[in-house]
Amino acid sequence: MAAKPGRAGAGKGKKKGPTKGSGGLGRKALEGKGPTPKAEDRSWHVAGKRKAAAERYAAAGGKGRPAPRGGSRPQKPKRDEDTEVVTGRNSVLEALRAKIPATAFYIAQRVEMDDRVKEMLSIARNRDITVLEVTRPELDRMAGFDGVHQGVALKVPPYEYAHPQELLEAVVGRDEVPLFVALDGITDPRNLGAIIRSTAAFGGHGVIVPQRRSASVNSAAWKTSAGAAARLPVAVAPNLTTTLKEFKRQGVFVLGLDGGGDVSLPSLELADRPVVIVVGSEGKGLSRLVGETCDQIVSIPIDAATESLNAGIAASVALYQVRMLREPRS
């Protein structure tokens, strides 16, 4: 009777005990080889390589760069979410002058000492703000990819936004004619910074931004505002349309800027009234609900070859015109 073929991979049966003449090698092969070495004691293991690198680092007296923990590539330092970094000489100086509770002042090694830098150092020391001398590459990292620090940076708490109603009440309480700028869909913080700067320059009382889909007052906005963010309040509206309607009920006229407006800016007749100027995004302009809420849609006359104006420039032109129309009456 032919033997049945065994299943694939099955070994042939053998007699128990050592094969004659083997000297018991078969039995010894079955014996354990002792406990498995720890990962760090195995030279080919990641942990073993990490241990060897650490030993070399220690043998070198701690010179050089230690191996990263976990055997992974070093990660970029995580940014502290509870602080903001202001960069640029004008922005840093204005923040210090405004007595914003800064925690650290960074200055580049061998920085050019002009009058602004000297004043920054003086204010920082008088207020017991920590002064740290760092390398320019470190300041480059703090300023970000497209940031310009001019050799100085300031670590400050997150920007404290105001409430729109509080801004309005404060202006009315000072017996002034309110002038605000509201942003509808402006997501570039540099545009926000430019509008903050223009609003402050032309006598505006504050900027209002919606809670969602809007730029925030970060380091880029601080930089572009040239320090005006330290003087001019910025308020957050939970819902911009609702806030504008509430302003209207309190006697504030809402003027929306749009290329197809029904009123040309030079012909504006509401400049001497309480006004909030609403600036839309460059691409989409004013949103439908905000546009329907406006008392007037105002256009800025420009050359036909130019499609539109940058949001920051449009706000500046409108603010200048309001200022010029108000001055003869003041």
Side-chain angles (χ1 to χ4, degrees):
M1 182 175 179
K4 295 181 180 179
R7 66 182 184 277
K12 294 181 179 180
K14 294 183 180 180
K15 294 181 180 179
K16 295 182 179 180
T19 304
K20 184 177 180 180
S22 68
L25 294 177
R27 185 179 67 252
K28 292 181 179 179
L30 296 176
E31 294 177 356
K33 297 181 179 180
T36 302
K38 295 181 179 179
E40 61 184 14
D41 293 331
R42 287 177 266 173
S43 60
W44 65 89
H45 196 278
V46 173
K49 294 178 180 179
R50 186 166 64 245
K51 179 181 178 182
E55 290 173 349
R56 290 196 303 271
Y57 175 71
K63 297 179 181 179
R65 187 175 182 177
R69 298 183 61 183
S72 59
R73 179 179 297 180
Q75 300 295 320
K76 293 182 179 179
K78 291 185 178 180
R79 188 172 182 175
D80 188 350
E81 296 180 354
D82 294 332
T83 60
E84 183 65 61
V85 178
V86 179
T87 59
R89 299 194 178 188
N90 285 337
S91 299
V92 170
L93 182 56
E94 287 295 335
L96 287 170
R97 286 174 174 173
K99 298 183 179 180
I100 291 176
T103 56
F105 173 59
Y106 300 89
I107 184 168
Q109 296 172 349
R110 297 183 296 277
V111 70
E112 180 184 353
M113 297 291 292
D114 62 6
D115 291 339
R116 290 177 296 175
V117 175
K118 292 177 182 177
E119 185 177 352
M120 293 177 213
L121 284 169
S122 176
I123 295 175
R125 287 166 180 163
N126 289 336
R127 291 177 51 196
D128 293 327
I129 298 172
T130 302
V131 178
L132 300 172
E133 188 177 19
V134 296
T135 63
R136 285 192 174 272
E138 177 64 12
L139 279 176
D140 292 339
R141 185 193 67 80
M142 295 171 64
F145 177 74
D146 57 351
V148 179
H149 52 73
Q150 298 176 304
V152 293
L154 189 69
K155 183 178 287 188
V156 300
Y159 185 85
E160 292 188 10
Y161 295 92
H163 190 281
Q165 187 61 38
E166 292 176 354
L167 287 188
L168 180 59
E169 291 175 358
V171 176
V172 173
R174 295 194 299 267
D175 199 24
E176 299 177 2
V177 182
L179 174 58
F180 299 104
V181 175
L183 308 187
D184 180 23
I186 304 295
T187 57
D188 188 339
R190 290 167 294 188
N191 268 336
L192 170 59
I195 291 172
I196 291 173
R197 184 176 185 178
S198 297
T199 305
F202 295 117
H205 298 105
V207 174
I208 302 170
V209 298
Q211 191 169 15
R212 300 179 58 191
R213 293 185 293 275
S214 174
S216 59
V217 183
N218 58 15
S219 58
W222 268 97
K223 172 65 179 175
T224 313
S225 76
R231 306 187 306 273
L232 188 82
V234 178
V236 171
N239 183 288
L240 183 59
T241 303
T242 302
T243 298
L244 294 176
K245 289 180 178 179
E246 182 60 31
F247 271 38
K248 289 176 67 173
R249 281 193 288 268
Q250 298 180 68
V252 179
F253 289 89
V254 181
L255 308 180
L257 294 183
D258 190 89
D262 47 82
V263 177
S264 178
L265 185 62
S267 303
L268 183 63
E269 297 179 352
L270 298 174
D272 59 340
R273 315 285 178 87
V275 165
V276 54
I277 300 171
V278 187
V279 184
S281 65
E282 294 177 47
K284 298 180 180 180
L286 299 174
S287 62
R288 181 181 62 83
L289 291 177
V290 169
E292 292 174 354
T293 305
C294 294
D295 294 297
Q296 285 185 344
I297 303 297
V298 183
S299 63
I300 299 174
I302 58 176
D303 191 274
T306 304
E307 183 177 350
S308 64
L309 292 176
N310 170 275
I313 295 175
S316 299
V317 173
L319 286 163
Y320 172 79
Q321 183 67 14
V322 171
R323 175 71 174 269
M324 292 299 100
L325 292 174
R326 282 188 175 190
E327 279 193 345
R329 298 175 182 270
S330 61

